[in-house]
Amino acid sequence: MRVGILTSGGDCQALNATMRGLVKALYQQRKDIEIIGFLKGYQGLMYEKYKKMSLSDFEDILNVGGTILGSSRCPFKKMRVIEDGFDKVEAMKKTYKKLKLDCLVVLGGNGSHKTANLLSEKGLNIVTLPKTIDNDINGTDVTFGFQSAIDIATRTLDELHTTAKSHGRIMIAEIMGNKAGWLTLYSGIAGKADVILIPEIPYNIEKISQYIKDKLKNGRKHIILAVAEGIISQEETKLSKKELKQKRSKDGYISAGYRLEAELSEKIDGEVRVVVPGHIQRGGNPCAFDRVLTSRIGVKGAELI
Ligand code: F6P
């Protein structure tokens, strides 16, 4: 049996742990397994960049972040676009057939799942495993990477509390999540943020400023805001996509935390600072929860194959 594996889209902490779980479980089921690891996500499948792998390649990687296969973003909306005569979907199908794969396992988020679905519609055998720190894959309770990222974002907030308190400052932590606020919400609760803003609920700057002023008046010495990178104000929801783009470009395309800093500074008398942990939230090693979750997901993947 020949199984292809690829890791696609933004990485996260437990990709290696998932592949290890999958491959170990496959070898437990039968010995005649050949693993083909595609390099840099769908690119490897398109351009025949792969390596033959064995069980030993997957040993000792349970606790190692990143991905031993590498990853890349291949936007779904461009998948069916023929560029310089190159048909990406046909190329991927061709590689699959040429290598005589019995199944392709895709570890990816939303976009990667859409492409996987396209390949499945073309007749390829596909198993997908849900990866993303954003926790926003339809039909899943929890994606791998999410818990590890929560731990990092929570630690960031914990650390901000101490320095914010020393200086009596208002500190904004901009947490990853463009369309989904799960990571901000969970770390915001765990990290005891005074204000949590997520993309799903447009914010009202007047209300937030008033809330902060009241808290300070009532004796709170510092304020922590956990805000998702994809937040949008109630005012902005009235704009068309084009108008919003123009407004943001006028602001200099600064990120959510800095936009909010500018808005708050106009309304509140106090020092405001912004911290953007960024890709640190996807970095480092998977937390214990993700190691267990991905071991189980890997076994399920092997069962499906
Ligand atoms: O989808 C995961 C994610 O980390 C989002 O939270 C974030 O908006 C995006 O990826 C960042 O993507 P990139 O690594 O391509 O900058």
Side-chain angles (χ1 to χ4, degrees):
M1 174 181 271
R2 196 173 270 184
V3 177
I5 308 181
L6 62 84
T7 54
S8 167
D11 74 340
C12 75
Q13 291 89 347
L15 286 162
N16 287 331
T18 311
M19 290 191 274
R20 170 189 172 270
L22 176 92
V23 172
K24 273 179 84 99
L26 274 177
Y27 274 94
Q28 252 168 31
Q29 282 177 21
R30 51 197 287 173
K31 297 294 163 222
D32 62 333
I33 299 282
E34 280 180 34
I35 304 288
I36 305 286
F38 291 100
L39 307 178
K40 299 205 86 177
Y42 286 115
Q43 279 182 18
L45 187 61
M46 281 174 209
Y47 301 106
E48 294 186 35
K49 300 271 184 240
Y50 61 87
K51 55 181 173 186
K52 290 190 176 158
M53 303 175 86
S54 62
L55 185 57
S56 62
D57 291 309
F58 297 89
E59 274 161 11
D60 294 327
I61 57 168
L62 172 67
N63 58 343
V64 182
T67 158
I68 56 170
L69 294 179
S71 190
S72 65
R73 289 200 183 274
C74 295
F76 173 70
K77 59 179 179 208
K78 285 196 174 168
M79 273 303 165
R80 276 167 293 193
V81 180
I82 314 281
E83 282 172 296
D84 297 328
F86 186 68
D87 184 331
K88 304 178 194 83
V89 178
E90 274 312 306
M92 289 193 280
K93 208 172 138 186
K94 203 172 134 204
T95 307
Y96 181 100
K97 299 272 180 217
K98 188 172 162 188
L99 292 173
K100 296 192 170 58
L101 295 182
D102 292 296
C103 181
L104 173 71
V105 184
V106 174
L107 283 67
N110 273 315
S112 308
H113 273 76
K114 286 182 191 162
T115 298
N117 186 51
L118 189 64
L119 294 175
S120 154
E121 284 169 359
K122 296 278 175 194
L124 311 192
N125 291 326
I126 310 279
V127 168
T128 62
L129 304 178
K131 164 241 65 167
T132 170
I133 64 163
D134 293 347
N135 196 33
D136 62 347
I137 299 180
N138 192 23
T140 59
D141 290 327
V142 62
T143 58
F144 57 86
F146 177 50
Q147 293 292 333
S148 300
I150 292 173
D151 282 359
I152 296 171
T154 302
R155 232 164 24 239
T156 304
L157 294 171
D158 282 349
E159 284 161 10
L160 284 182
H161 272 288
T162 61
T163 173
K165 203 168 182 177
S166 307
H167 292 271
R169 280 176 174 155
I170 297 162
M171 298 203 81
I172 301 172
E174 183 184 302
I175 310 291
M176 272 189 166
N178 234 325
K179 296 193 183 119
W182 289 104
L183 182 55
T184 309
L185 184 61
Y186 273 57
S187 58
I189 292 170
K192 227 166 65 59
D194 300 273
V195 176
I196 299 173
L197 302 181
I198 59 175
E200 293 87 339
I201 305 176
Y203 68 90
N204 178 322
I205 194 66
E206 299 300 335
K207 272 195 189 167
I208 296 167
S209 316
Q210 195 53 53
Y211 180 73
I212 293 174
K213 277 184 203 161
D214 290 346
K215 274 205 138 182
L216 294 172
K217 210 164 101 194
N218 291 331
R220 181 94 169 134
K221 295 279 178 282
H222 72 287
I223 299 287
I224 300 291
L225 296 95
V227 310
E229 61 181 334
I231 53 166
I232 180 163
S233 70
Q234 287 179 357
E235 284 303 305
E236 286 174 328
T237 58
K238 294 175 193 148
L239 304 176
S240 68
K241 247 184 170 176
K242 196 176 161 198
E243 287 166 335
L244 181 62
K245 209 172 162 195
Q246 277 166 353
K247 177 180 178 284
R248 297 261 167 104
S249 113
K250 221 169 110 202
D251 293 343
Y253 283 122
I254 48 174
S255 69
Y258 292 97
R259 285 202 310 272
L260 197 67
E261 177 193 28
E263 288 178 280
L264 279 180
S265 300
E266 274 182 19
K267 304 203 177 290
I268 294 178
D269 196 19
E271 273 187 296
V272 187
R273 292 284 192 276
V274 184
V275 167
V276 185
H279 290 83
I280 291 172
Q281 293 161 97
R282 290 207 324 235
N285 302 332
C287 67
F289 180 94
D290 270 340
R291 295 179 201 184
V292 177
L293 175 71
T294 50
S295 297
R296 296 177 65 198
I297 285 180
V299 171
K300 186 66 194 175
E303 265 173 44
L304 293 172
I305 292 167

